[in-house]
Amino acid sequence: MEHLYDRIREARERAGLTVNEAAEKLGVSRVQIWRMENKTETITAERLFIIAAIYQVDPYALFKGIDATTQSYTALYSRIGEIVAMVEQEVQRQDAKPPPDVVGEAVVEILRQETRGRTSPPTDPLDPEKYQGLVALLFKQASQK
C-alpha cells in the first residue's frame, strides 16, 4: 500500500472495527474517520500514535508502510503479563516450587499456543483452565528430575 491513509483503513479493518466503532474509540465523528482514510485530513503524529494503540498495531508500521499487521508490542506485553500472572497463581494453587526455567518454559509454551497463527495477540480474556493441565505436567516433570 502506498499511502498512510490506506494503511490506517487496513489496520482498522484488521482490528475488526467499523467506522462507527473507530470513531467512538477515537472520540471523533464518522466523517473524520472517513476523512482520515480517504486522504482529506492531515494526521498528526499524536493522532497516529492514538490510532495505532486503538487498532493494536505498531505506529512505525503505519507511518513507514511496513506491514500494518505488525502487532503492537504493548498488546503482546500485556498478554505476556496475563500469562505470567496465571502461571504464578497456578504455582500457588499447587503449592509447587518449580525452578525458574520451568516457569519460563510454561510461560513461553502458553504464549506460543495463544499466538499460534495470529498476527496479534488474542483480545479475548486468557482462560486459565485451558492451561492448568499443561502447567501441572511441566511442574510434575520438573519435580521428577
Side-chain angles (χ1 to χ4, degrees), residues 1-73:
M1 273 183 239
E2 286 185 39
H3 299 286
L4 170 64
Y5 310 98
D6 297 324
R7 293 188 295 273
I8 288 173
R9 182 178 55 251
E10 179 187 343
R12 175 185 54 78
E13 290 169 350
R14 286 189 182 268
L17 297 173
T18 65
V19 171
N20 287 340
E21 291 167 334
E24 184 178 317
K25 287 182 179 275
L26 282 167
V28 299
S29 69
R30 270 179 45 96
V31 172
Q32 261 189 294
I33 295 293
W34 185 89
R35 287 179 182 157
M36 282 188 260
E37 294 179 357
N38 288 281
K39 306 173 190 138
T40 61
E41 183 165 310
T42 302
I43 299 168
T44 64
E46 180 182 9
R47 174 72 50 94
L48 181 67
F49 276 87
I50 293 168
I51 290 169
I54 290 170
Y55 296 172
Q56 295 188 346
V57 297
D58 187 323
Y60 187 77
L62 286 177
F63 182 70
K64 284 292 192 178
I66 300 168
D67 183 7
T69 62
T70 302
Q71 66 189 13
S72 163
Y73 290 115

Side-chain angles (χ1 to χ4, degrees), residues 81-112:
E82 289 178 68
I83 293 169
V84 169
M86 186 271 298
V87 171
E88 287 176 348
Q89 287 175 348
E90 194 61 22
V91 167
Q92 289 176 1
R93 190 182 74 76
Q94 292 183 23
D95 195 28
K97 298 199 182 356
D101 63 316
V102 173
V103 173
E105 186 180 330
V107 170
V108 168
E109 182 54 34
I110 293 168
L111 181 63
R112 193 176 291 136

